[in-house]
Amino acid sequence: MKKAIYPGSFDPITKGHLDIIRRGSKSFDKVIVAVLINSEKQGLFSIEERVSLIRKATFGIDNVEIISFDGLLVDYMEKNHISIILKGLRNSKDFEYELQMANVNKILGNEIETIFMISNPENSYISSSMVKEVCKLGGNISGLVPSEVESIIKKKIMG
Ligand code: PNS
């Protein structure tokens, strides 16, 4: 079974993330969306909220599993017999950062491969932090987040 792990902060999930999950689910038998539990960086949404938003946004995609993890990604992968990391690439800035992470993970782990999918152009400007900023300032986030979770995200940010 060809499994890929798609790790990230997902604070919150965006249309760009969902596109990579959808496309990944067609290329792999299973995509495990892995939400990082980062004790050093609080974030806006709790881990449970992030997982719940991803679950709602990916409803109907049968071969997607959502988990949360702490510690090293490669440790989780080795424990769970996963050797492929799936990542999205929006631009050259992502590339620089992702290249470093891919190489570090390769050194830390055993036979780890990182596979990149190029974001669709319409998603290449979307980030979780942009979603939070636009929403906080009263902007329309319908083009930025999955429609299934737009109102929940708005409620959390706007109150
Ligand atoms: O959405 P993000 O914040 O770009 O995701 C970063 C993430 C979660 C993929 C990365 O920080 C990660 O894998 N963290 C786990 C700790 C780890 O394994 N670090 C060493 C490799 S960079």
Side-chain angles (χ1 to χ4, degrees):
M1 174 136 126
K2 229 172 3 141
K3 286 193 278 187
I5 193 161
Y6 179 47
S9 304
F10 303 103
D11 185 36
I13 184 170
T14 67
K15 271 200 171 161
H17 294 134
L18 182 58
D19 179 51
I20 300 294
I21 297 169
R22 275 219 183 95
R23 286 161 54 199
S25 74
K26 290 180 191 152
S27 299
F28 296 98
D29 297 316
K30 187 162 220 172
V31 172
I32 297 128
V33 183
V35 181
L36 173 69
I37 304 168
N38 188 346
S39 53
E40 265 146 49
K41 201 169 153 215
Q42 181 67 74
L44 178 65
F45 292 84
S46 71
I47 299 301
E48 294 70 28
E49 286 171 328
R50 296 179 208 188
V51 167
S52 161
L53 289 171
I54 300 168
R55 187 158 291 126
K56 285 194 170 76
T58 58
F59 183 78
I61 313 175
D62 291 336
N63 56 340
V64 170
E65 189 185 325
I66 303 130
I67 60 103
S68 56
F69 75 103
D70 58 9
L72 285 177
L73 176 64
V74 294
D75 286 347
Y76 180 87
M77 292 175 71
E78 272 161 25
K79 254 181 239 146
N80 292 280
H81 312 288
I82 306 164
S83 60
I84 298 171
I85 302 170
L86 172 65
K87 283 308 213 50
L89 277 185
R90 291 167 297 188
N91 49 45
S92 56
K93 201 167 152 243
D94 272 359
F95 177 73
E96 292 295 330
Y97 176 60
E98 296 294 344
L99 179 66
Q100 186 184 20
M101 278 206 283
N103 281 323
V104 169
N105 283 326
K106 210 179 190 108
I107 293 166
L108 293 176
N110 186 24
E111 310 242 343
I112 300 284
E113 285 296 347
T114 302
I115 293 189
F116 294 107
M117 278 188 178
I118 304 295
S119 297
N120 277 327
E122 68 265 30
N123 294 328
S124 65
Y125 297 97
I126 304 177
S127 66
S128 297
S129 39
M130 196 58 83
V131 166
K132 287 178 275 195
E133 182 172 327
V134 169
C135 193
K136 224 178 274 168
L137 298 172
N140 180 2
I141 57 164
S142 64
L144 309 179
V145 298
S147 54
E148 299 85 348
V149 293
E150 184 189 338
S151 60
I152 306 171
I153 292 174
K154 264 195 203 156
K155 202 167 166 207
K156 173 85 179 176
I157 298 175
M158 310 279 285

